Amino acid sequence: EETDFELLFVDDGSKDGTMEVLRELAAADARVRYVSFSRNFGKEAAMYAGLENARGDLVAILDADLQDPPALLPEMYASIKNDGYDSRSTRKGEPRLRSFFARVFYRLMNKISKTELVEGARDFRLMTRQMVDSVLSVCEYNRFTKGIFTWVGYKTRWIEYENVERVAGETKWSFWKLFKYSLECIMAFSTVPLAISSF
């Protein structure tokens, strides 16, 4: 089935040649658009900007390093069109140490938050416009988008896939950056820190 589409890139303050490439792509094809940040504001801000500027009836989020396989998009599309489910993904095969701490994080979050999070959930997903608008309507300063995706309450089909090598570049997520991010998520998406501070 043929359908119209656009590609919207969010450049989160990169210091390489990303913007030059994006300008060339946008000049050559009207379906390519981009948002450019003045500096690095982090992945949560980048995802919010992407959702805010996306114009389609369906919106997909995926990492530009292609560790999220675009080949899954037709299956996600069929799930929405035929079954009415938004599609989200989980990934197997992460490094053992990272997987261990991820499991600890998800278990902790599920104990202290009223919103249940699926272990291994990725930001890679395909959403209806209605869901996107619901996510954007949540006015959080420190956003934990994985939690918000679940909290807004739409029917979801989970698709599992194997971890793949990134096409280019390397991760900017050090252990300490992930640890700090997990603390921010705990503070943003549960009432336990508030209850402790009020004790």
Side-chain angles (χ1 to χ4, degrees), residues 70-80 87 126 157-160:
L72 285 180
L73 287 172
E75 183 179 353
M76 293 176 163
Y77 179 79
S79 182
I80 286 181
S87 293
L126 182 65
R157 178 190 174 204
W158 292 94
I159 300 173
E160 191 174 78

Side-chain angles (χ1 to χ4, degrees), residues 16-182:
D16 54 17
T18 297
M19 278 310 304
E20 287 76 9
V21 172
L22 291 181
R23 289 190 188 100
E24 290 175 5
L25 290 173
D29 192 328
R31 295 173 298 184
V32 177
R33 300 167 52 231
Y34 60 84
V35 174
S36 178
F37 287 176
S38 59
R39 65 170 179 82
N40 183 276
F41 286 95
K43 77 160 194 166
E44 293 290 348
M47 284 194 294
Y48 185 86
L51 294 177
E52 194 173 39
N53 285 276
R55 300 183 296 203
D57 295 327
L58 300 175
V59 179
I61 297 176
L62 69 159
D63 289 344
D65 61 16
L66 300 184
Q67 281 196 296
D68 300 328
L72 285 180
L73 287 172
E75 183 179 353
M76 293 176 163
Y77 179 79
S79 182
I80 286 181
K81 285 295 185 181
N82 299 330
D83 305 318
Y85 283 83
D86 289 275
S87 293
R88 312 180 192 186
S89 60
T90 60
R91 192 168 75 185
K92 299 189 299 182
E94 295 276 18
R96 288 184 180 180
L97 185 61
R98 182 165 176 163
S99 293
F100 169 76
F101 284 109
R103 285 196 302 272
V104 171
F105 169 75
Y106 281 105
R107 286 172 186 169
L108 176 60
M109 285 297 293
N110 284 329
K111 283 185 179 295
I112 65 177
S113 173
K114 295 179 180 179
T115 301
E116 184 176 357
L117 303 176
V118 174
E119 185 177 320
R122 301 282 298 155
D123 295 313
F124 179 34
R125 62 198 65 221
L126 182 65
M127 298 170 283
T128 60
R129 168 54 54 186
Q130 184 180 12
M131 180 175 175
V132 171
D133 290 343
S134 296
V135 170
L136 290 173
S137 72
V138 178
C139 300
E140 292 280 340
Y141 179 75
N142 291 318
R143 296 179 71 83
F144 175 42
T145 308
K146 280 190 181 78
I148 295 172
F149 285 144
T150 302
W151 184 81
V152 293
Y154 289 80
K155 292 195 303 181
T156 301
R157 178 190 174 204
W158 292 94
I159 300 173
E160 191 174 78
Y161 66 96
E162 292 287 344
N163 188 29
V164 295
E165 293 294 325
R166 64 184 69 242
V167 172
E170 58 185 31
T171 182
K172 303 298 190 297
W173 287 97
S174 66
F175 173 81
W176 292 110
K177 283 184 179 179
L178 284 169
F179 181 70
K180 181 181 176 184
Y181 177 63
S182 67

